[in-house]
Amino acid sequence: MTQAARIRRCHAAHLWQDDGWSREGIFGIDGEGLLQAVDDGPAETLGTWVLPGMPNLHSHAFQRAMAGLAERRGRADDSFWTWRETMYAFAAAVGPDELRAIAAQLYVEMLKAGYTQVCEFHYLHHQPDGRPYAPPEAMSLALVEAAREAGIALTLLPVLYMSGGFDGRPLGARQRRFGHEVESYLRLVESLRTREAADLRVGIALHSLRAVPEDALRAVLDGAAARQGPVHIHIAEQLGEVQDCLALRGARPVEWLLDHAPVDARWCLVHATHLSEAETARLARSGAVAGLCPTTEANLGDGLFPLADYLDADGTLGIGSDSHISVSPVEELRWLEYGQRLVSRHRNIAARREGASVGQTLWRAALRGGAQAAGLPVGALRPGRRADLLVLDDGSPVFAAREEPALLDSFIFAGNTPLVRDVMCGGRWVVRDFHHHDEERIAQRYRHAVQRLAPA
């Protein structure tokens, strides 16, 4: 059989491209699950409105199972730092089997919501007492298996985590399972890279400036591991982090990183919430992605990213669901915009010119930045990219009397009715008629895993 004969021809009445909607879109999908250009002719009709699937550039999968468990007021003023103690206690009970069950359930939820790729910022490496599993990459492999089980593309970002603060204090007892020395961390990365495939990319992640001493950061960035694949880092999420960095390194976190590391388009700076005007402009010029997680940032009381200034400086951004108190690209984008409206007391902030659509602006920006952060050929419906796409429910009342200019605005801002009907990943249908092909079995295993994790 020829390559041409193996190509599936597909048709969409409206196909989202980089510059907007294309009518009567015809495209092919080859045997590797990649999009190909084809001539006009008979084709399978996918639906009326077809969009590229959204990359999710920041995930801690195990935290999905603790969503809702940190919403009671403590004796002290609650903050990110008190939430972190709850997270540490929960993480102590999660092993490879539990992680695979939780991650598979999460990834099914992502797919049904419209995410077709996920960047897993993974620091839950060892047993609770800090001893390695056998094999040492057991927890990482649990995530790979979960992603393949669900059918989502994965960028795995094993995390280097070495110290408990900018002052170099050792990791606490509940952080021991996160920790690596540089040499063992690089061995982990290289071992995982032998498993890369069309649906799996392996990058590196530096947990944060407070958790990676300067000499270790330099050692990793100077080595071969950092010269391939994406590089992600948590940064400037909390004001306390900014204050500590100023006190001990004499600079704000993003300022320090830009001065001391080769930050470029391969980098994703996750959160980057607290930026000065100069940092905002420099981050935009660097070409790096600002990895924004609005629902988690709101849940933790982090603060608001300077969106308008960053967009005016042509900065690149993407979205992630992070702690998964919400698993919805629509809600991330909606709250990215709504947060700006609340603080500015104006509307339509992301649309930086008269007549521009907020929904189109945000969806386009998040596709571009998410694909860049993932290091995979995703985020666009054009030849050579993965056939990762969403078919919206053209029968929904939400879309009644909606044409191209208002379609994405209605998708993002017109309520909470599920609107993603079908989802394809790598040329394979994983969701049809709102239903994941294996969701019942995966959900049942998740229930058993969470019951084992519940306190006695």
Side-chain angles (χ1 to χ4, degrees):
M1 183 180 293
T2 66
Q3 175 67 17
R6 289 197 298 268
I7 291 179
R8 295 162 53 195
R9 301 167 64 85
C10 300
H11 166 264
H14 298 80
L15 186 69
W16 176 263
Q17 303 285 12
D18 295 347
D19 56 353
W21 291 106
S22 171
R23 295 198 176 197
E24 304 301 333
I26 300 285
F27 57 92
I29 302 172
D30 69 18
E32 302 300 318
L34 299 178
L35 295 167
Q36 302 293 341
V38 294
D39 297 329
D40 291 343
E44 172 190 0
T45 298
L46 302 185
T48 303
W49 305 101
V50 176
L51 291 165
M54 181 61 68
N56 184 333
L57 57 61
H58 194 63
S59 167
H60 305 295
F62 76 94
Q63 293 178 16
R64 179 68 183 108
M66 63 167 281
L69 298 181
E71 307 304 325
R72 290 180 177 269
R73 180 69 178 260
R75 287 177 294 179
D77 286 341
D78 282 334
S79 68
F80 166 83
W81 307 102
T82 53
W83 170 88
R84 191 175 70 160
E85 293 304 309
T86 302
M87 182 270 288
Y88 285 165
F90 184 84
V94 177
D97 290 343
E98 291 80 15
L99 182 58
R100 180 177 178 178
I102 294 167
Q105 173 64 25
L106 169 65
Y107 297 158
V108 167
E109 293 173 9
M110 286 185 186
L111 289 164
K112 293 175 70 175
Y115 290 117
T116 51
Q117 185 279 338
V118 58
C119 296
E120 193 63 52
F121 197 101
H122 169 57
Y123 55 81
L124 207 59
H125 297 302
H126 309 306
Q127 298 180 60
D129 62 4
R131 290 181 298 131
Y133 285 100
E137 61 269 29
M139 294 290 273
S140 296
L141 295 180
L143 293 166
V144 174
E145 292 160 0
R148 287 183 171 152
E149 192 174 8
I152 198 167
L154 174 66
T155 299
L156 182 60
L157 301 160
V159 172
L160 179 61
Y161 199 134
M162 299 181 68
S163 60
F166 283 101
D167 57 5
R169 75 191 75 158
L171 298 178
R174 287 190 290 187
Q175 297 170 315
R176 286 181 299 190
R177 68 182 312 190
F178 311 156
H180 273 290
E181 295 301 320
V182 170
E183 294 77 11
S184 61
Y185 172 73
L186 294 176
R187 286 196 299 271
L188 173 66
V189 171
E190 291 308 315
S191 173
L192 293 170
R193 281 191 170 151
T194 64
R195 301 172 182 270
E196 285 190 326
D199 61 351
L200 174 63
R201 188 82 161 110
V202 177
I204 66 171
L206 308 165
H207 180 272
S208 57
L209 292 182
R210 70 177 184 273
V212 180
E214 183 176 355
D215 58 347
L217 182 144
R218 293 188 185 283
V220 171
L221 296 181
D222 289 344
R227 290 196 287 271
Q228 51 184 307
V231 181
H232 289 221
I233 185 171
H234 288 139
I235 199 159
E237 179 179 4
Q238 286 285 322
L239 283 173
E241 175 190 346
V242 176
Q243 293 161 354
D244 287 349
C245 193
L246 278 165
L248 292 168
R249 297 196 181 182
R252 300 170 61 87
V254 171
E255 175 189 15
W256 189 94
L257 185 69
L258 293 170
D259 285 342
H260 292 84
V263 176
D264 60 17
R266 294 187 308 114
W267 284 67
C268 178
L269 277 60
V270 180
H271 304 304
T273 305
H274 299 287
L275 301 178
S276 67
E277 289 183 11
E279 287 175 305
T280 301
R282 290 185 66 192
L283 177 56
R285 287 197 303 271
S286 75
V289 180
L292 308 180
C293 309
T295 61
T296 292
E297 289 152 6
N299 183 264
L300 297 178
D302 288 344
L304 287 169
F305 179 82
L307 179 66
D309 289 345
Y310 189 69
L311 291 176
D312 286 344
D314 293 324
T316 303
L317 64 84
I319 55 165
S321 55
D322 194 352
S323 66
H324 315 301
I325 49 91
S326 174
V327 185
S328 166
V330 164
E331 191 168 11
E332 298 300 336
L333 294 175
R334 182 184 298 171
W335 278 101
L336 178 57
E337 171 69 19
Y338 282 175
Q340 306 298 314
R341 295 185 186 189
L342 288 169
V343 74
S344 69
R345 298 185 298 280
H346 290 86
R347 299 187 70 251
N348 299 326
I349 305 302
R352 304 306 295 159
R353 58 178 177 79
E354 184 176 352
S357 156
V358 175
Q360 290 190 24
T361 299
L362 290 175
W363 193 266
R364 180 186 292 113
L367 287 174
R368 176 190 168 207
Q372 184 175 314
L376 282 167
V378 297
L381 298 179
R382 59 174 182 260
R385 300 291 185 104
R386 279 174 53 91
D388 293 354
L389 57 85
L390 317 178
V391 181
L392 301 185
D393 180 17
D394 54 12
S396 172
V398 171
F399 295 139
R402 294 295 189 267
E403 297 299 331
E404 291 174 2
L407 196 285
L408 271 175
D409 290 326
S410 298
F411 178 40
I412 294 172
F413 293 106
N416 296 308
T417 302
L419 295 172
V420 177
R421 189 187 70 201
D422 306 316
V423 180
M424 178 183 289
C425 282
R428 173 175 168 247
W429 291 113
V430 291
V431 174
R432 298 305 303 263
D433 294 323
F434 305 99
H435 181 78
H436 185 275
H437 64 87
D438 201 17
E439 66 181 70
E440 288 84 3
R441 184 189 63 83
I442 288 172
Q444 185 62 23
R445 190 182 59 190
Y446 171 81
R447 293 187 191 98
H448 291 322
V450 172
Q451 287 166 357
R452 293 196 300 271
L453 295 172

